[in-house]
């Protein structure tokens, strides 16, 4: 085997990030070998991925899906098929795995990602909810096991790249860029009426449904502020957000001497995914180069706090710390699902999260079970508000 060959596990291989990661594996067969894959419900796509990438192990959420998947595969192509949270953990922690791509959506990604860290696996982290809900525990676990935690989120990859060769003490501020989503120019009155289809139509990025709605409310940027707080060890009030509709500058770092270092590129997740997979090497990706002359101009604005209250809610939860971000994240996951199902309106998403944060008590985080409890309470409180028609 090639000594540079990296043995990887992809948690959430059937999602937007998972599929882009496998595209990179396909393009660089000498660099990456897939040991295990996991998926939620899309076993048809998982079966195709198994035939193509021949992992030794896979896991799905439900035992019934594991059985159905088994019958879809011939004996010679069938890997070990597991299910449930333990199945996800076993796939992530398989002895051969050296890097886990954490690309499950939502707080469901926390336990397998934390288990992988504790098992000594390097992490390419897409699942921002892991750091939002349990940042202090995850960062402590990373330090204890001495693994690398490499960001996949494009903003955090940009900051990570801008910080290379720099010293933490010299950093004054991080500036996260945001496209502003599909409703950047929509009036508040019109936002009351928008449909899931309107909200899913992101102008610059092609992503999974949950993060697309988060981008439309700007909760995505709020989650990213908290993610950056843990990845780069800066307080949330030193992390700013600029709207940048072109999505060319992926984020920047401001230093004490006034210098600003940014990372630019076409908006394609292959760049940050590949960098996390191959760091410190850069892979020759088959992407169109960025033509700045064609882009012409780059624009920046302050976000509108009245149209996008989720951003402030996330700053407040990030400042408050403890279980507040986990409660907020849980309420957001329930609110996004309810909006996608048509049971609440778009502007009710932030109202619901605010109501849940007011109702739930916040405590310090010292164990994973506290985070899981906070997540459960945040979800059930949000559901009670929806059922009571109070959102
Ligand atoms: P997605 O919805 O397209 O895919 C999610 C994956 O997780 C799928 O494989 C799905 O089957 C699996 N999954 C869903 N629920 C699960 C559960 N309960 N248990 C186990 N597996 C489950 O999502 P995505 O857009 O690929 O995003 C994945 C993560 O990456 C999110 O945390 C998102 O915020 C982050 N992220 C995504 C992008 C992007 O461009 N898509 C960019 C930056 C960060
Ligand atoms: Mg991002």
């Amino acid at each position: 085997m090639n000594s540079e060959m990296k043995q990887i596990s992809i948690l959430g291989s059937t999602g937007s990030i998972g599929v882009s990661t496998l595209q990179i594996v396909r393009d660089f067969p000498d660099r990456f070998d897939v040991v295990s894959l996991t998926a939620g419900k899309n076993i048809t796509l998982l079966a195709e991925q198994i035939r193509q990438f021949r992992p030794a192990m896979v896991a799905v959420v439900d035992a019934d899906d594991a059985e159905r998947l088994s019958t879809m595969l011939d004996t010679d192509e069938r890997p070990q098929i597991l299910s449930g949270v333990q199945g996800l953990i076993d796939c992530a922690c398989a002895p051969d795995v050296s890097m886990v791509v954490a690309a499950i959506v939502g707080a469901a990604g926390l336990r397998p990602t934390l288990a992988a860290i504790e098992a000594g696996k390097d992490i390419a982290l897409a699942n921002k909810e892991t750091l939002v809900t349990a940042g202090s525990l995850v960062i402590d676990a990373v330090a204890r096991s001495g693994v690398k935690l490499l960001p996949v989120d494009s903003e955090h990859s940009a900051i990570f790249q801008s910080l290379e060769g720099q010293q933490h003490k010299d950093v004054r501020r991080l500036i996260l860029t945001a496209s502003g989503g599909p409703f950047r120019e929509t009036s508040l009155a019109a936002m009351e009426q928008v449909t899931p289809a309107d909200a899913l139509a992101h102008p610059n990025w092609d992503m999974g449904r949950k993060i697309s709605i988060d981008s439309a409310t700007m909760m995505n940027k709020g989650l990213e502020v908290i993610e950056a707080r843990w990845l780069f060890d800066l307080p949330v009030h030193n992390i700013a957000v600029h709207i940048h509709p072109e999505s060319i500058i992926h984020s920047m770092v401001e230093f004490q001497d006034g210098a600003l270092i940014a990372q630019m590129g076409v908006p394609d997740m292959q760049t940050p995914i590949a960098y996390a997979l191959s760091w410190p090497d850069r892979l020759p990706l088959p992407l169109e180069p960025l033509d700045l002359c064609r882009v012409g101009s780059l624009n920046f604005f302050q976000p509108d706090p009245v149209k996008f209250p989720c951003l402030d809610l996330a700053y407040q939860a990030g400042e408050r710390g403890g279980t507040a971000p986990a409660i907020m994240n849980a309420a957001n996951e329930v609110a996004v699902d309810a909006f996608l199902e048509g049971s609440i309106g778009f502007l009710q998403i932030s109202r619901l999260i605010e109501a849940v944060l007011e109702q739930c008590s916040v405590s310090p985080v010292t164990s994973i079970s506290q985070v899981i409890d906070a997540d459960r309470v945040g979800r059930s409180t949000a559901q009670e508000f929806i059922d009571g028609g109070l959102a």
Side-chain angles (χ1 to χ4, degrees):
M1 192 187 298
N2 180 339
S3 62
E4 281 190 70
M5 183 73 102
K6 196 172 272 183
Q7 307 285 103
I8 65 171
S9 166
I10 306 176
L11 307 179
S13 66
T14 54
S16 160
I17 294 289
V19 166
S20 295
T21 304
L22 285 172
Q23 177 67 48
I24 295 167
V25 171
R26 191 178 299 124
D27 288 345
F28 297 92
D30 298 342
R31 301 279 309 228
F32 306 109
D33 183 40
V34 175
V35 178
S36 59
L37 297 175
T38 82
K41 292 265 156 222
N42 190 348
I43 57 170
T44 309
L45 179 55
L46 181 60
E48 274 175 40
Q49 294 178 339
I50 291 168
R51 289 190 191 102
Q52 188 167 2
F53 295 97
R54 296 301 173 111
M57 285 168 98
V58 301
V60 292
V61 172
D62 294 329
D64 290 355
D65 282 334
E67 272 181 37
R68 283 201 296 136
L69 178 64
S70 179
T71 61
M72 288 162 75
L73 297 162
D74 292 339
T75 326
D76 65 325
E77 57 191 17
R78 196 177 296 139
Q80 188 181 358
I81 301 176
L82 308 171
S83 63
V85 176
Q86 192 55 49
L88 301 179
I89 292 175
D90 291 346
C91 276
C93 299
D96 288 351
V97 170
S98 64
M99 172 174 265
V100 171
V101 181
I104 290 175
V105 61
L110 172 60
R111 287 183 57 199
T113 307
L114 198 53
I117 294 168
E118 283 162 354
K121 314 299 185 190
D122 290 335
I123 308 289
L125 186 74
N127 178 244
K128 61 193 82 187
E129 295 89 347
T130 290
L131 282 177
V132 169
T133 55
S136 61
L137 301 177
V138 171
I139 294 301
D140 286 353
V142 165
R144 263 200 318 273
S145 8
V147 300
K148 294 186 194 76
L149 180 62
L150 295 150
V152 166
D153 214 344
S154 58
E155 295 75 5
H156 306 75
S157 178
I159 291 168
F160 177 69
Q161 293 177 57
S162 302
L163 283 171
E164 281 180 295
Q166 305 293 335
Q167 305 183 73
H168 185 269
K169 69 175 177 56
D170 295 331
V171 175
R172 189 194 283 158
R173 257 194 335 158
L174 307 178
I175 302 171
L176 301 181
T177 53
S179 69
F183 306 136
R184 184 172 57 85
E185 296 191 311
T186 308
S187 70
L188 186 62
M191 279 166 74
E192 194 82 60
Q193 306 300 329
V194 295
T195 64
D198 299 329
L200 288 169
H202 195 277
N204 302 349
W205 299 95
D206 181 14
M207 310 179 287
R209 286 159 66 84
K210 192 255 178 185
I211 185 176
S212 296
I213 303 302
D214 286 348
S215 298
T217 61
M218 289 199 72
M219 177 54 91
N220 183 49
K221 214 48 53 178
L223 300 177
E224 289 181 356
V225 168
I226 302 173
E227 181 186 13
R229 180 253 171 281
W230 293 113
L231 279 172
F232 306 113
D233 190 23
L234 281 169
V236 294
H237 57 259
N238 287 1
I239 305 171
V241 171
H242 288 3
I243 305 284
H244 166 43
E246 294 84 7
S247 297
I248 296 294
I249 291 193
H250 298 311
S251 281
M252 5 190 182
V253 180
E254 184 184 284
F255 294 89
Q256 304 287 1
D257 58 359
L260 211 66
I261 298 187
Q263 184 260 335
M264 291 189 255
V266 289
D268 190 314
M269 286 307 293
Q270 287 211 36
T271 305
I273 296 169
Y275 196 59
L277 289 177
S278 64
W279 177 88
D281 293 349
R282 287 184 184 270
L283 300 176
L285 295 178
L287 296 179
E288 282 281 300
L290 171 61
D291 182 348
L292 279 175
C293 294
R294 210 167 68 202
V295 176
S297 56
L298 300 178
N299 291 282
F300 302 91
F301 314 95
Q302 287 298 331
D304 180 340
V306 179
K307 278 172 58 182
F308 301 106
C310 283
L311 184 56
D312 271 345
L313 290 173
Y315 269 105
Q316 286 162 26
E319 284 284 2
R320 216 167 147 192
T323 51
I327 293 165
M328 177 195 74
N329 178 71
N332 181 55
E333 289 190 27
V334 172
V336 169
D337 281 345
F339 170 68
L340 285 171
E341 285 162 11
S343 39
I344 66 171
F346 184 75
L347 295 181
Q348 286 177 303
I349 296 175
S350 63
R351 291 184 202 133
L352 178 61
I353 298 165
E354 188 171 11
V356 171
L357 278 167
E358 271 169 23
Q359 168 102 2
C360 295
S361 57
V362 169
S363 51
V365 169
T366 51
S367 72
I368 189 73
S369 60
Q370 285 172 313
V371 174
I372 291 168
D373 277 352
D375 177 79
R376 201 184 50 238
V377 171
R379 275 170 211 276
S380 58
T381 310
Q383 198 55 54
E384 281 161 24
F385 275 117
I386 293 171
D387 295 344
L390 293 172

